Amino acid sequence: MSKLDVILIPDRRLRQVCEPVTKVDGAVRRTLDDMLETMYAAPGIGLAAPQVGVMKRMLVIDITREGEPKQPYFFINPKVVWASEEVSTYQEGCLSIPEYYEDVERPARVRVEYVDHDGSEQEIVAEGLLSTCLQHEIDHLNGVLFIDYISRLKRERVMKKFIKRAKSVA
Ligand code: NI
């Protein structure tokens, strides 16, 4: 496995809609494994393929805490097929928007259909942190970021900060 570079806003790739994965082959599995290693190293609890510049509909999640046995999830072509009316609020962050956190309200529970690491079709009903994380990562596959749910003023402020930062490293 090898660690990949995580791209940051305002990289345009983070605003693109990703293509479905047509076949779960060795290359797809290798990318997922690399994404998992990249996420653990960050550290983070979720990482979507476009965040490492791979424009495919796949993501990895592990919401276990440090010291607990790892429990990685691999989601290929995930699709939200049901969302609860009940909502919950979590403070979210994103490896593509480092050191920035804001409360976001989302459906408390979602049912998601997806294909797993072995290429089998699966379904999960997620709640709590897993539900929020899954929705956040699926948004990435559609070019949506968690800052799209906060006030325009806050969003413009954080965008400005990262545009400046990108210019200074360029
Ligand atoms: Ni994110």
Side-chain angles (χ1 to χ4, degrees):
M1 290 205 284
S2 51
K3 234 184 91 188
L4 308 167
D5 287 329
V6 176
I7 60 179
L8 309 183
I9 58 166
D11 194 305
R12 302 289 305 166
R13 287 171 289 180
L14 293 169
R15 289 308 195 176
Q16 289 173 19
V17 176
C18 295
E19 296 289 329
V21 175
T22 49
K23 189 169 170 242
V24 183
D25 55 14
V28 163
R29 271 191 284 270
R30 217 156 26 244
T31 303
L32 285 167
D33 291 340
D34 289 346
M35 284 169 56
L36 191 69
E37 186 183 340
T38 305
M39 183 190 81
Y40 283 145
I45 60 170
L47 185 69
Q51 294 182 273
V52 292
V54 175
M55 308 313 291
K56 294 282 176 192
R57 303 189 76 80
M58 54 190 193
L59 56 97
V60 295
I61 288 178
D62 190 338
I63 58 161
T64 52
R65 290 169 199 272
E66 214 187 317
E68 289 177 354
K70 289 187 177 4
Q71 201 191 326
Y73 281 99
F74 301 93
F75 293 92
I76 299 166
N77 299 337
K79 194 175 156 204
V80 176
V81 292
W82 172 82
S84 66
E85 277 180 34
E86 190 195 328
V87 293
S88 61
T89 302
Y90 277 94
Q91 193 180 60
E92 297 190 20
C94 182
L95 294 179
S96 295
I97 315 171
E99 284 152 48
Y100 186 75
Y101 305 92
E102 281 292 340
D103 279 354
V104 176
E105 187 183 276
R106 297 182 187 268
R109 286 181 303 283
V110 284
R111 184 191 301 270
V112 172
E113 289 176 356
Y114 65 102
V115 172
D116 69 14
H117 200 266
D118 300 321
S120 324
E121 285 182 24
Q122 303 280 355
E123 191 184 89
I124 187 174
V125 177
E127 58 180 6
L129 181 58
L130 181 61
S131 171
T132 283
C133 188
L134 198 41
Q135 292 174 69
H136 173 123
E137 302 309 332
I138 291 173
D139 272 352
H140 273 298
L141 308 181
N142 296 317
V144 175
L145 301 171
F146 85 94
I147 53 172
D148 298 342
Y149 301 102
I150 66 178
S151 77
R152 191 174 145 181
L153 186 72
K154 284 180 178 172
R155 182 169 56 253
E156 283 174 355
R157 204 182 290 152
V158 66
M159 282 304 298
K160 218 177 269 176
K161 190 177 129 188
F162 278 89
I163 288 167
K164 209 166 154 188
R165 177 174 163 162
K167 277 185 185 146
S168 71
V169 286

